[in-house]
Amino acid sequence: MRTPISLRVSLTPRAALAGLLALPVVVLWPRWWVVLLLAALWALVLLADAFAAPEPRRIQVQRRLPAQVRLGGTVTGRLLVTNPTARAARLEIRDAWNPTAGLAEQRSTLTVPSRERRAIEQAFTPTRRGEHSSRTLLVASVGPLGLARRTAAVDTPGRLLALHPFGARRHLPSRVQRLREIEGLSAIHQRGQGTEFDSLRDFVDGDDVRSIDWRATARRRSVVVRTWRPERDRHVLIVVDTSRTAAGRLGDSTRLDAAFDAALLLTALAGQAGDRVDLVCVDRIPHLSVVGSSRTTVLHDMVSATAGVHPALVETDWERAASTITDRTRRGSLVVLITPVDPAVVHTGLLPVAARLAKDHPLVVASVSDPALGELAAGREDVEALYIAAAAEQARQESAGVAAALERAGAHVVDAPPERAPQALADAYLALKAAGRL
């Protein structure tokens, strides 16, 4: 049995209708004592009906609900209501979830016979990523006449975690196929940073003579060359900027949602490549990290951990972020910074940090651009549209200038709208693999 929080008595609309039945008597005998007598009789009937209802604090409520659901999906749960009293209970139950939990019906009415149990089916379709909870659950026991009810707030906590939908998952098979081509069919013939020995094969015209394996050639009495493939078991650190810029709306979602979509696709692809992936969210402090997960669980761990992460209305401290990156990586690890590439980056100190990181790591700066800028820049309808187009084009040019500065600092910049950002980041990772830089 759950612990009750409060108990109160209230009237139903039927109580007002019962009071109206006394009007003809008052009209026929308009005396004060008649009104007083009828009011006392009405109150007595209401009290008798209220206390004839089963005690709501004795009603037992248990919740059956899955812990997680993917955003946009629907999950079903149940409330199991048990009546341990000797009388049948007419109950009105209100389950007060926050509106974004998407509970189809918050109010339910049912009758539970004596010493029996009934179930209330519930359907949840969350509209916001993150944790949803039921603030309280009210159980109202209605009297036999339906005139009054006794209500108790019962402590039956409910929690539902809405996970990121990971819409970019549909692009994973094509990128995995490209990865297999890089690792197998299109093996790298020359040794470079981020490659390891793959196999021996016969020399063909066009091969670099520096790849000839002279010992194998002597044994086989034919020219044999070494082939190389991208190195496995590399370390990838994804750093997601969760500052105020991540709260910007890009269509139906925020910039942070698109950033997580790109991070998850890269995580899934790197896991297929045999690389280890960690994730850190930063603004003023590194408030979330997924570190040390195995390749089989890292994607699930990231989806669960990032479900409750929301933008903070602060600027990112990139010096602190650089210290965190240095502590969590070793030289040569791939560092991916997912942050907007705009003029505000210059003022928050990303450029000098990117230059330092690029000296020790392959560095990718991924940005989710605003597709509305392109639409505004194309406007030519009137004078106002021209001014708006000029401002939009200026913003795009400033972002391009910041991207060029990051490229000169040694970073590889990926800037794409929300629907293409995950694929663009995955392609950048594959390009590094194909070039032998990772």
PDB file of all heavy atoms in Angstrom, residues 171-185:
ATOM      1  N   HIS A 171      20.890   5.828 -42.206  1.00  0.00           N
ATOM      2  CA  HIS A 171      22.066   6.049 -43.050  1.00  0.00           C
ATOM      3  C   HIS A 171      23.228   5.151 -42.667  1.00  0.00           C
ATOM      4  O   HIS A 171      24.270   5.182 -43.344  1.00  0.00           O
ATOM      5  CB  HIS A 171      22.514   7.519 -42.946  1.00  0.00           C
ATOM      6  CG  HIS A 171      21.454   8.504 -43.332  1.00  0.00           C
ATOM      7  ND1 HIS A 171      21.007   8.629 -44.625  1.00  0.00           N
ATOM      8  CD2 HIS A 171      20.752   9.398 -42.589  1.00  0.00           C
ATOM      9  CE1 HIS A 171      20.063   9.569 -44.673  1.00  0.00           C
ATOM     10  NE2 HIS A 171      19.895  10.046 -43.447  1.00  0.00           N
ATOM     11  N   LEU A 172      23.085   4.370 -41.619  1.00  0.00           N
ATOM     12  CA  LEU A 172      24.201   3.538 -41.154  1.00  0.00           C
ATOM     13  C   LEU A 172      24.585   2.446 -42.150  1.00  0.00           C
ATOM     14  O   LEU A 172      25.781   2.245 -42.403  1.00  0.00           O
ATOM     15  CB  LEU A 172      23.865   2.943 -39.786  1.00  0.00           C
ATOM     16  CG  LEU A 172      24.949   2.084 -39.137  1.00  0.00           C
ATOM     17  CD1 LEU A 172      26.223   2.900 -38.931  1.00  0.00           C
ATOM     18  CD2 LEU A 172      24.456   1.509 -37.813  1.00  0.00           C
ATOM     19  N   PRO A 173      23.640   1.687 -42.749  1.00  0.00           N
ATOM     20  CA  PRO A 173      24.068   0.596 -43.653  1.00  0.00           C
ATOM     21  C   PRO A 173      24.944   1.061 -44.806  1.00  0.00           C
ATOM     22  O   PRO A 173      25.936   0.400 -45.142  1.00  0.00           O
ATOM     23  CB  PRO A 173      22.737   0.011 -44.142  1.00  0.00           C
ATOM     24  CG  PRO A 173      21.756   0.352 -43.060  1.00  0.00           C
ATOM     25  CD  PRO A 173      22.181   1.686 -42.547  1.00  0.00           C
ATOM     26  N   SER A 174      24.619   2.204 -45.423  1.00  0.00           N
ATOM     27  CA  SER A 174      25.424   2.669 -46.555  1.00  0.00           C
ATOM     28  C   SER A 174      26.824   3.072 -46.104  1.00  0.00           C
ATOM     29  O   SER A 174      27.811   2.831 -46.819  1.00  0.00           O
ATOM     30  CB  SER A 174      24.729   3.852 -47.230  1.00  0.00           C
ATOM     31  OG  SER A 174      24.570   4.933 -46.333  1.00  0.00           O
ATOM     32  N   ARG A 175      26.937   3.667 -44.908  1.00  0.00           N
ATOM     33  CA  ARG A 175      28.264   4.053 -44.420  1.00  0.00           C
ATOM     34  C   ARG A 175      29.075   2.832 -43.988  1.00  0.00           C
ATOM     35  O   ARG A 175      30.294   2.806 -44.159  1.00  0.00           O
ATOM     36  CB  ARG A 175      28.121   5.033 -43.259  1.00  0.00           C
ATOM     37  CG  ARG A 175      28.108   6.492 -43.674  1.00  0.00           C
ATOM     38  CD  ARG A 175      26.966   6.828 -44.590  1.00  0.00           C
ATOM     39  NE  ARG A 175      27.056   8.165 -45.152  1.00  0.00           N
ATOM     40  CZ  ARG A 175      26.138   8.678 -45.970  1.00  0.00           C
ATOM     41  NH1 ARG A 175      25.096   7.948 -46.334  1.00  0.00           N
ATOM     42  NH2 ARG A 175      26.283   9.896 -46.442  1.00  0.00           N
ATOM     43  N   VAL A 176      28.419   1.832 -43.438  1.00  0.00           N
ATOM     44  CA  VAL A 176      29.130   0.611 -43.080  1.00  0.00           C
ATOM     45  C   VAL A 176      29.652  -0.082 -44.337  1.00  0.00           C
ATOM     46  O   VAL A 176      30.773  -0.616 -44.353  1.00  0.00           O
ATOM     47  CB  VAL A 176      28.210  -0.330 -42.269  1.00  0.00           C
ATOM     48  CG1 VAL A 176      28.853  -1.692 -42.082  1.00  0.00           C
ATOM     49  CG2 VAL A 176      27.897   0.289 -40.910  1.00  0.00           C
ATOM     50  N   GLN A 177      28.870  -0.072 -45.403  1.00  0.00           N
ATOM     51  CA  GLN A 177      29.331  -0.666 -46.656  1.00  0.00           C
ATOM     52  C   GLN A 177      30.563   0.073 -47.182  1.00  0.00           C
ATOM     53  O   GLN A 177      31.530  -0.552 -47.640  1.00  0.00           O
ATOM     54  CB  GLN A 177      28.211  -0.617 -47.698  1.00  0.00           C
ATOM     55  CG  GLN A 177      28.602  -1.242 -49.033  1.00  0.00           C
ATOM     56  CD  GLN A 177      27.467  -1.194 -50.032  1.00  0.00           C
ATOM     57  OE1 GLN A 177      26.381  -0.692 -49.734  1.00  0.00           O
ATOM     58  NE2 GLN A 177      27.718  -1.701 -51.231  1.00  0.00           N
ATOM     59  N   ARG A 178      30.528   1.392 -47.110  1.00  0.00           N
ATOM     60  CA  ARG A 178      31.697   2.167 -47.530  1.00  0.00           C
ATOM     61  C   ARG A 178      32.898   1.863 -46.640  1.00  0.00           C
ATOM     62  O   ARG A 178      34.038   1.763 -47.132  1.00  0.00           O
ATOM     63  CB  ARG A 178      31.349   3.663 -47.469  1.00  0.00           C
ATOM     64  CG  ARG A 178      32.507   4.608 -47.714  1.00  0.00           C
ATOM     65  CD  ARG A 178      33.143   4.392 -49.058  1.00  0.00           C
ATOM     66  NE  ARG A 178      34.263   5.305 -49.273  1.00  0.00           N
ATOM     67  CZ  ARG A 178      35.271   5.078 -50.098  1.00  0.00           C
ATOM     68  NH1 ARG A 178      35.305   3.945 -50.786  1.00  0.00           N
ATOM     69  NH2 ARG A 178      36.228   5.956 -50.231  1.00  0.00           N
ATOM     70  N   LEU A 179      32.664   1.687 -45.344  1.00  0.00           N
ATOM     71  CA  LEU A 179      33.740   1.330 -44.426  1.00  0.00           C
ATOM     72  C   LEU A 179      34.362  -0.003 -44.797  1.00  0.00           C
ATOM     73  O   LEU A 179      35.598  -0.158 -44.776  1.00  0.00           O
ATOM     74  CB  LEU A 179      33.203   1.298 -42.993  1.00  0.00           C
ATOM     75  CG  LEU A 179      34.166   0.836 -41.905  1.00  0.00           C
ATOM     76  CD1 LEU A 179      35.296   1.843 -41.728  1.00  0.00           C
ATOM     77  CD2 LEU A 179      33.425   0.630 -40.584  1.00  0.00           C
ATOM     78  N   ARG A 180      33.537  -0.978 -45.138  1.00  0.00           N
ATOM     79  CA  ARG A 180      34.057  -2.291 -45.520  1.00  0.00           C
ATOM     80  C   ARG A 180      34.894  -2.191 -46.798  1.00  0.00           C
ATOM     81  O   ARG A 180      35.892  -2.912 -46.969  1.00  0.00           O
ATOM     82  CB  ARG A 180      32.893  -3.276 -45.714  1.00  0.00           C
ATOM     83  CG  ARG A 180      32.116  -3.547 -44.441  1.00  0.00           C
ATOM     84  CD  ARG A 180      32.961  -4.261 -43.419  1.00  0.00           C
ATOM     85  NE  ARG A 180      32.249  -4.447 -42.161  1.00  0.00           N
ATOM     86  CZ  ARG A 180      32.537  -3.804 -41.048  1.00  0.00           C
ATOM     87  NH1 ARG A 180      33.545  -2.938 -41.025  1.00  0.00           N
ATOM     88  NH2 ARG A 180      31.854  -4.022 -39.944  1.00  0.00           N
ATOM     89  N   GLU A 181      34.497  -1.327 -47.718  1.00  0.00           N
ATOM     90  CA  GLU A 181      35.291  -1.134 -48.931  1.00  0.00           C
ATOM     91  C   GLU A 181      36.651  -0.545 -48.597  1.00  0.00           C
ATOM     92  O   GLU A 181      37.678  -0.939 -49.162  1.00  0.00           O
ATOM     93  CB  GLU A 181      34.548  -0.212 -49.898  1.00  0.00           C
ATOM     94  CG  GLU A 181      33.269  -0.813 -50.464  1.00  0.00           C
ATOM     95  CD  GLU A 181      32.512   0.184 -51.312  1.00  0.00           C
ATOM     96  OE1 GLU A 181      32.959   1.356 -51.379  1.00  0.00           O
ATOM     97  OE2 GLU A 181      31.477  -0.180 -51.888  1.00  0.00           O
ATOM     98  N   ILE A 182      36.678   0.399 -47.670  1.00  0.00           N
ATOM     99  CA  ILE A 182      37.946   1.009 -47.278  1.00  0.00           C
ATOM    100  C   ILE A 182      38.841  -0.014 -46.602  1.00  0.00           C
ATOM    101  O   ILE A 182      40.045  -0.081 -46.859  1.00  0.00           O
ATOM    102  CB  ILE A 182      37.684   2.207 -46.339  1.00  0.00           C
ATOM    103  CG1 ILE A 182      36.963   3.324 -47.101  1.00  0.00           C
ATOM    104  CG2 ILE A 182      38.979   2.730 -45.737  1.00  0.00           C
ATOM    105  CD1 ILE A 182      36.534   4.476 -46.232  1.00  0.00           C
ATOM    106  N   GLU A 183      38.258  -0.861 -45.738  1.00  0.00           N
ATOM    107  CA  GLU A 183      39.058  -1.830 -44.995  1.00  0.00           C
ATOM    108  C   GLU A 183      39.468  -3.036 -45.820  1.00  0.00           C
ATOM    109  O   GLU A 183      40.482  -3.663 -45.542  1.00  0.00           O
ATOM    110  CB  GLU A 183      38.272  -2.316 -43.767  1.00  0.00           C
ATOM    111  CG  GLU A 183      38.073  -1.244 -42.712  1.00  0.00           C
ATOM    112  CD  GLU A 183      37.361  -1.778 -41.496  1.00  0.00           C
ATOM    113  OE1 GLU A 183      36.627  -2.779 -41.639  1.00  0.00           O
ATOM    114  OE2 GLU A 183      37.520  -1.204 -40.411  1.00  0.00           O
ATOM    115  N   GLY A 184      38.663  -3.368 -46.822  1.00  0.00           N
ATOM    116  CA  GLY A 184      38.935  -4.595 -47.555  1.00  0.00           C
ATOM    117  C   GLY A 184      39.247  -4.393 -49.019  1.00  0.00           C
ATOM    118  O   GLY A 184      40.398  -4.420 -49.445  1.00  0.00           O
ATOM    119  N   LEU A 185      38.223  -4.133 -49.810  1.00  0.00           N
ATOM    120  CA  LEU A 185      38.394  -4.083 -51.255  1.00  0.00           C
ATOM    121  C   LEU A 185      39.325  -2.969 -51.686  1.00  0.00           C
ATOM    122  O   LEU A 185      40.057  -3.109 -52.661  1.00  0.00           O
ATOM    123  CB  LEU A 185      37.020  -3.908 -51.928  1.00  0.00           C
ATOM    124  CG  LEU A 185      36.025  -5.045 -51.695  1.00  0.00           C
ATOM    125  CD1 LEU A 185      34.705  -4.734 -52.372  1.00  0.00           C
ATOM    126  CD2 LEU A 185      36.589  -6.358 -52.211  1.00  0.00           C
TER     127      LEU A 185
END
